[in-house]
Each structure stands twice: as C-alpha cells, then as structure tokens.
C-alpha cells in the first residue's frame, strides 16, 4: 500500500509545542505513524511564538475574526495569514489533514470565538486561522480533527479513504490507463458503499479514454473520487453492494445458502450484526470458488491489518 501524505498538528505526538509546553499523546496516531508520511506543523511556533507562551484567542470584530494574544494585546492575524499561505503553497501530493480540535490556530470543526474579550460562542465552520487558507489550496482534500478519530466508525472510514487515495496517487503518477482500470475494478464494491451512481461515473471517465486525454481523465477522476468519499455511507447502499457481491456466486450457491445469506442481510439491515459478519460469508464463498476478482476487492482489506482494532465493526477478516 502506498503511504498516505498527511499534514498533522505538531502537538499531536510530535512536539511539546502547546502554549503550556504540553503535547497530546494519541495512541491511534502513534500506531498510524508507521504507515503514513506525517508532515507535522505548528503554525504558532512557525510564526516565532515561544513555547511556553501566553494563550491566543480568536476575537470577532465586526465581520472579521482576529487572532489575538490578549495578555500582550498583540494582533497576530496577518502574520498567521502570511505563514499559512506560504506553507500551504509549498505542499504537494497531500491526501489528508489531521488537526488539533478547538485550537485557535489549527481548528477545523468548532472553536471558541470571543466577543469583547469576555463571552464566547462556538462556531462550526471555519472562517479564520491557519486553516482558513486550506480551502483555497486544497478545497477537496479531506480534513479531520484528532478527536473525531476516536470514534471507531469515523476512524475506519478515515483509514479506508486515506489508503485508497494514496493508492490512487500512485496510479496518477504511473500515468497508465490499465492501472487506472485495475484500480477501479478492485475498488468497485467499496465505491458502491458510498454511491453506485458516482462509481458508474468513474467508469464512464475511464471509458472516455482516447490516447490523448489521460492527464485530463486522471485529474477529473481524482476530483470525482474525493466527491464520492464525501458521500455518507448508508445501510441500504452497503446492502446493495454486499448483495451485488453475493449474486456473483448465484450459480454455485445452493437454495439453502441463498436463504441463509438473505436472512443474514435482513438481520444486518436492523444493525443486529456487524458488517464483518456479512463480509465473512462473502469471503468464504469467494475462497470456496477461488474467485480471484472478488478476492482482490479492497472491501476485504482496505487498510493494513495492524490498524484494525478489536472494537471495530466490520474489518476483522484478516486477524
Ligand atoms: S494546536 Fe496547532 S498551533 Fe497549537 S500547539 Fe498544536 S500544532 Fe501548534
């Protein structure tokens, strides 16, 4: 598997660079380090603030949000904006961002915005900070904060997507339409978890190849792939994908086996069993029939097995 490139807030395991000289120890990110290329950055240290330092706050002033160090009455907005532009401009081939939640500089989901230096309010989408400029440079590149990755469902999705995106980067670099077709074929059922329509659109892009438009196809494919991953997985979509795999074995399954699978799907529909139970049945059928095409599907092995946790819901097959 190609290693995903991820920009990460430096105080997450890498450095004691928080305002109070602390570091956040995160076991999952520590485990992940071996499998990805982390690009750690601390924007506050990068604009020459010392560690430890007096805390920063975001203030709302008319329509503007300012980055301020209240104790020294220093406005750091412009400095941070300049650094953010300069740093992000120099980054290439990124797959993801993992940023410290609720930091005035690194936040992406919610942060305190102060009013008149006293009261504050939480806001849910970003308007200012180091992260303000991310969308100008990396509009579609996904961003996550470390806190959300503590939820196993979100973590599984995150892992699935980063390794898929990193593998796609390798395909993009190889510039071979045959590699792109292989990539699409082995991700077919994984993509159907997100959207069958978008999965078909990816095929249509590949089908439009005419020997002169490969770069264009690869760029459009990348954009569509990110769009696909921005689609929320739904149980009915997952059932649709799993049932499609099952019909692959319709000739070799007995009536009893078909009944058993369909009953299992009904129990799964009510979330009384995890996805791993259904995937186990499918993998057994694929092994029995020695179905190379199904066995190479990434749905069975979307990320390194060392990153699977026992509490995870559906990717226990490689334990
Ligand atoms: S949250 Fe960001 S700015 Fe704050 S210490 Fe961590 S990396 Fe530095």
């Amino acid at each position: 598997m190609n290693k995903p490139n991820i920009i990460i807030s430096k105080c997450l395991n890498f450095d004691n660079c928080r305002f109070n000289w602390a570091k956040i120890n995160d076991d999952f990110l520590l485990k992940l380090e071996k499998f990805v290329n982390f690009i750690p950055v601390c924007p506050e240290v990068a604009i020459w603030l010392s560690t430890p330092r007096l805390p920063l706050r975001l203030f709302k002033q008319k329509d503007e949000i300012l980055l301020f160090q209240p104790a020294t009455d220093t406005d750091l907005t412009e400095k941070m904006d300049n650094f953010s532009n300069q740093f992000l401009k120099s980054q290439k081939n990124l797959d993801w961002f993992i940023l410290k939640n609720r930091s005035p500089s690194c936040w992406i989901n919610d942060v305190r915005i102060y009013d008149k230096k006293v009261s504050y309010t939480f806001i849910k989408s970003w308007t200012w900070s180091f992260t303000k400029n991310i969308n100008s440079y990396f509009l579609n590149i996904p961003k996550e904060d470390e806190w959300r990755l503590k939820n196993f469902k979100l973590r599984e999705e995150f892992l699935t997507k980063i390794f898929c995106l990193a593998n796609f980067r390798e395909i993009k670099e190889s510039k071979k339409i045959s590699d792109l077709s292989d990539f699409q074929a082995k991700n077919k059922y994984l993509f159907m978890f997100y959207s069958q329509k978008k999965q078909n659109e990816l095929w249509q892009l590949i089908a439009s190849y005419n020997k002169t438009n490969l770069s264009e196809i690869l760029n459009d494919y990348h954009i569509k792939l990110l769009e696909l991953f921005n689609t929320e997985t739904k149980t009915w979509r997952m059932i649709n994908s799993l049932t499609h795999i099952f019909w692959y074995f319709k000739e070799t399954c007995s009536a009893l086996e078909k009944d058993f699978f369909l009953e299992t799907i009904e129990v799964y529909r009510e979330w009384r069993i995890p996805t791993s139970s259904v995937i186990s049945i499918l993998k057994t059928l694929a092994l029995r029939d020695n179905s190379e095409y199904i066995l190479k599907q990434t749905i069975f092995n979307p990320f390194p097995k060392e990153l699977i946790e026992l509490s995870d819901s559906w990717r226990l097959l490689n334990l």
Side-chain angles (χ1 to χ4, degrees), residues 196-213:
Q196 187 166 5
K197 183 171 167 274
K198 289 196 169 83
Q199 191 266 142
N200 287 334
E201 286 170 7
L202 289 170
W203 268 125
Q204 281 158 19
L205 263 181
I206 296 173
S208 69
Y209 172 66
N210 64 13
K211 291 192 180 164
T212 60
N213 59 352

Side-chain angles (χ1 to χ4, degrees), residues 9-11 17-18 41-44 53 100 103 105-106:
S9 295
K10 206 174 197 172
C11 60
C17 55
R18 298 199 74 206
V41 59
C42 174
E44 290 179 11
R53 57 188 166 275
K100 169 78 190 71
S103 143
S105 299
C106 285

Side-chain angles (χ1 to χ4, degrees), residues 113-247:
I113 303 282
Y114 287 79
D115 181 25
K116 295 183 204 150
K117 307 188 183 182
V118 189
S119 61
Y120 64 81
T121 174
F122 280 99
I123 62 171
K124 287 280 177 197
S125 62
W126 69 82
T127 52
W128 201 89
S129 74
F130 161 69
T131 49
K132 177 186 84 167
N133 296 313
I134 287 182
N135 270 356
S136 335
Y137 294 98
F138 302 107
L139 177 62
N140 291 312
I141 300 297
K143 299 100 191 164
E144 196 56 275
D145 69 44
E146 92 292 356
W147 192 249
R148 279 172 43 93
L149 292 178
K150 300 201 180 305
N151 173 299
F152 77 78
K153 217 167 166 217
L154 295 175
R155 198 170 60 240
E156 273 194 344
E157 287 218 7
F158 159 78
L159 289 170
T160 301
K161 291 172 188 177
I162 57 169
F163 285 99
C164 185
L165 289 169
N167 288 335
F168 173 70
R169 219 168 3 84
E170 204 176 18
I171 306 291
K172 208 173 172 184
E173 281 154 21
S174 84
K175 293 192 181 2
K176 287 188 194 150
I177 193 73
S178 55
D179 287 353
L180 184 60
S181 296
D182 279 354
F183 175 82
Q184 173 74 13
K186 71 181 184 193
N187 282 295
K188 177 178 174 180
Y189 295 105
L190 174 68
F191 292 169
M192 281 174 63
F193 266 29
Y194 296 90
S195 163
Q196 187 166 5
K197 183 171 167 274
K198 289 196 169 83
Q199 191 266 142
N200 287 334
E201 286 170 7
L202 289 170
W203 268 125
Q204 281 158 19
L205 263 181
I206 296 173
S208 69
Y209 172 66
N210 64 13
K211 291 192 180 164
T212 60
N213 59 352
L214 184 58
S215 301
E216 207 180 305
I217 288 177
L218 287 165
N219 285 336
D220 290 351
Y221 190 99
H222 194 183
I223 293 168
K224 277 199 179 294
L225 180 59
L226 289 164
E227 278 173 17
L228 177 124
F229 279 156
N230 274 332
T231 317
E232 202 187 330
T233 50
K234 298 268 185 216
T235 309
W236 66 265
R237 287 200 188 110
M238 292 160 89
I239 289 178
N240 178 44
S241 173
L242 296 166
T243 310
H244 268 78
I245 300 180
F246 179 73
W247 289 127

Side-chain angles (χ1 to χ4, degrees), residues 102 107-111 122-126:
R102 297 198 170 176
W107 63 292
I108 48 167
N109 283 315
D110 51 6
V111 72
F122 280 99
I123 62 171
K124 287 280 177 197
S125 62
W126 69 82

Side-chain angles (χ1 to χ4, degrees), residues 1-62:
M1 283 182 177
N2 211 15
K3 279 190 170 186
N5 296 330
I6 300 177
I7 288 190
I8 185 167
S9 295
K10 206 174 197 172
C11 60
L12 299 173
N13 286 343
F14 285 90
D15 197 6
N16 293 60
C17 55
R18 298 199 74 206
F19 72 99
N20 56 358
W21 215 344
K23 170 169 83 170
I24 310 283
N25 295 313
D26 186 300
D27 290 346
F28 166 66
L29 294 176
L30 197 63
K31 209 195 263 185
L32 186 61
E33 206 179 321
K34 200 170 113 195
F35 301 94
V36 304
N37 298 316
F38 275 138
I39 304 153
V41 59
C42 174
E44 290 179 11
V45 169
I47 61 167
W48 301 105
L49 294 175
S50 58
T51 308
R53 57 188 166 275
L54 295 162
L56 307 191
R57 280 182 175 179
L58 293 173
F59 286 123
K60 191 164 179 359
Q61 184 178 278
K62 294 185 183 156

